[in-house]
Amino acid sequence: MPLVKPTPENIAAAAEALRLGELVAFPTETVYGLGADATNSRAVARVFEAKGRPRFNPLIAHVADLASAERIAYFPPHAHKLAEAFWPGPLTLVLRRRPTGKISDFVTVGLETVAVRVPAHPVASALLAAAAIPIAAPSANRSGHVSPTLASHVYDDLGDLPAFILDGGPTAHGLESTILDASEPDVVQLRAGALDLEATERVLGTRIRRAAEAVDPATGERPIAPGQLASHYAPGAPLRLDATDLRPGEALLALGPDVPRHAGPTINLSPTGDLVEAGANLFAALRALDAAHPTAIAVMPIPDTGIGEAINDRLRRGAAPR
Ligand code: TXA
Ligand code: MG
């Protein structure tokens, strides 16, 4: 059983396992990550195998601090400003990679850019410090499934594949990091996430374009976000979005004080309608409702403001045809 408490001894053993090319699942402030030595191609290949992840989908390199990130990627002034403001924290920056950066081509899948982030979680920070290597880590779920917000979710999806699963309890945000392509002065949001886009816009003093708005009208070229597959974050049961009524056999994913009457399994993401709380509860709620094997999970409408943008993004992908 790889699930262990994150004691100093276990973190030291997990760091050693990483250095030997093994996989270690660890908590971050967003979701649990499945870590491997980002400089070791064989270790990184194991991550793709364990998750059943398509080989064209690059990974995020996690580092201890901005100085370590600057050894991996070039930071133009606006990217530096974002890192100073939000690291450690739930922001991933896509930047041009430095040829001297030592990150395996398996992490970047051969792209000219690399995604980097400094997580804000004491266990992740301690692991990065002890291992003293960049850690490539996708969310620690089977590819296409809901991301894990509890150590037990990791075990349910991956079993004994990680040498260690460091149990840090429930993750604070419950949604993955916000991803910004900051390689050019015109910053583009590749993934809505735990960091509210408005906060980053205030720091830059400019509006940040969403990926959909950044499609080149002349060529039809899209910004590169290889992992943003249509079907993703999918529970076993189908999702029915913007539901205002209930059908027989359905489970209900509710939000706010006014919930339709329902005899079947029901989880309220936030009885007060607080979207930050709703985001933190989303993935665990989907897993729990799924376990009741409903005919479908009916989801009440979620406002598309603030963190609601990220919640709706995950729900739409969860509901997409598989
Ligand atoms: O919160 C998070 O970001 C979590 C925790 C563990 O840090 N990690 C996470 O990783 O969500 P993953 O692999 O599930 O999602 C990473 C996303 C993918 O959509 C991938 O395509 C994108 O980042 N990505 C990675 N490198 C990229 C690059 N060079 N250019 C564009 N997108 C990139
Ligand atoms: Mg993922």
Side-chain angles (χ1 to χ4, degrees):
M1 179 67 164
L3 236 154
V4 296
K5 289 214 157 58
T7 60
E9 296 73 28
N10 286 337
I11 290 173
E16 186 55 25
L18 280 174
R19 296 182 65 88
L20 293 172
E22 293 183 63
L23 305 183
V24 170
F26 61 98
T28 79
E29 78 281 29
T30 58
V31 300
Y32 277 76
L34 179 64
D37 177 354
T39 66
N40 176 342
S41 294
R42 288 187 52 175
V44 175
R46 283 203 187 113
V47 172
F48 283 87
E49 262 157 50
K51 284 188 52 110
R53 182 177 177 108
R55 298 284 167 154
F56 57 79
N57 191 2
L59 305 177
I60 298 171
H62 295 68
V63 291
D65 49 35
L66 177 53
S68 310
E70 284 183 298
R71 284 195 284 276
I72 293 173
Y74 294 105
F75 279 70
H78 60 277
H80 212 266
K81 227 173 173 181
L82 288 170
E84 293 264 323
F86 298 109
W87 281 355
L91 172 67
T92 295
L93 295 175
V94 170
L95 298 164
R96 285 203 307 119
R97 59 188 293 206
R98 272 184 204 274
T100 51
K102 299 207 175 72
I103 297 293
S104 159
D105 284 338
F106 282 50
V107 173
T108 56
V109 303
L111 295 171
E112 294 294 299
T113 54
V114 59
V116 280
R117 130 169 158 83
V118 178
H121 191 291
V123 175
S125 307
L127 185 65
L128 282 162
I133 44 173
I135 301 178
S139 50
N141 50 280
R142 292 279 309 164
S143 187
H145 197 204
V146 178
S147 296
T149 58
L150 286 174
S152 62
H153 295 160
V154 179
Y155 188 69
D156 290 345
D157 270 27
L158 300 176
D160 293 323
L161 290 172
F164 293 92
I165 301 173
L166 297 171
D167 185 354
T171 60
H173 294 289
L175 293 169
E176 302 82 355
S177 59
T178 297
I179 305 181
L180 300 182
D181 182 340
S183 58
E184 304 287 336
D186 180 11
V187 177
V188 177
Q189 181 197 42
L190 299 182
R191 176 173 77 183
L195 182 64
D196 201 328
L197 199 62
E198 283 161 29
T200 59
E201 289 176 328
R202 275 195 296 276
V203 164
L204 290 182
T206 54
R207 189 171 173 279
I208 293 175
R209 287 191 299 164
R210 272 63 170 177
E213 301 167 336
V215 178
D216 185 325
T219 62
E221 234 177 84
R222 307 182 150 274
I224 302 169
Q228 296 306 88
L229 308 174
S231 172
H232 209 112
Y233 313 108
L239 293 181
R240 190 165 69 80
L241 304 187
D242 296 319
T244 49
D245 61 333
L246 269 300
R247 298 173 190 166
E250 285 188 335
L252 172 62
L253 189 62
L255 175 72
D258 303 316
V259 177
R261 286 168 62 86
H262 183 50
T266 300
I267 294 179
N268 196 330
L269 291 173
S270 169
T272 61
D274 176 346
L275 291 174
V276 173
E277 182 186 21
N281 292 330
L282 177 68
F283 291 145
L286 287 174
R287 283 180 188 257
L289 291 179
D290 214 18
H293 300 292
T295 53
I297 299 174
V299 185
M300 284 176 65
I302 313 274
D304 212 31
T305 52
I307 295 303
E309 194 191 330
I311 297 175
N312 282 319
D313 170 79
R314 304 306 185 267
L315 288 170
R316 271 195 302 275
R317 290 178 205 284
R322 299 174 199 168

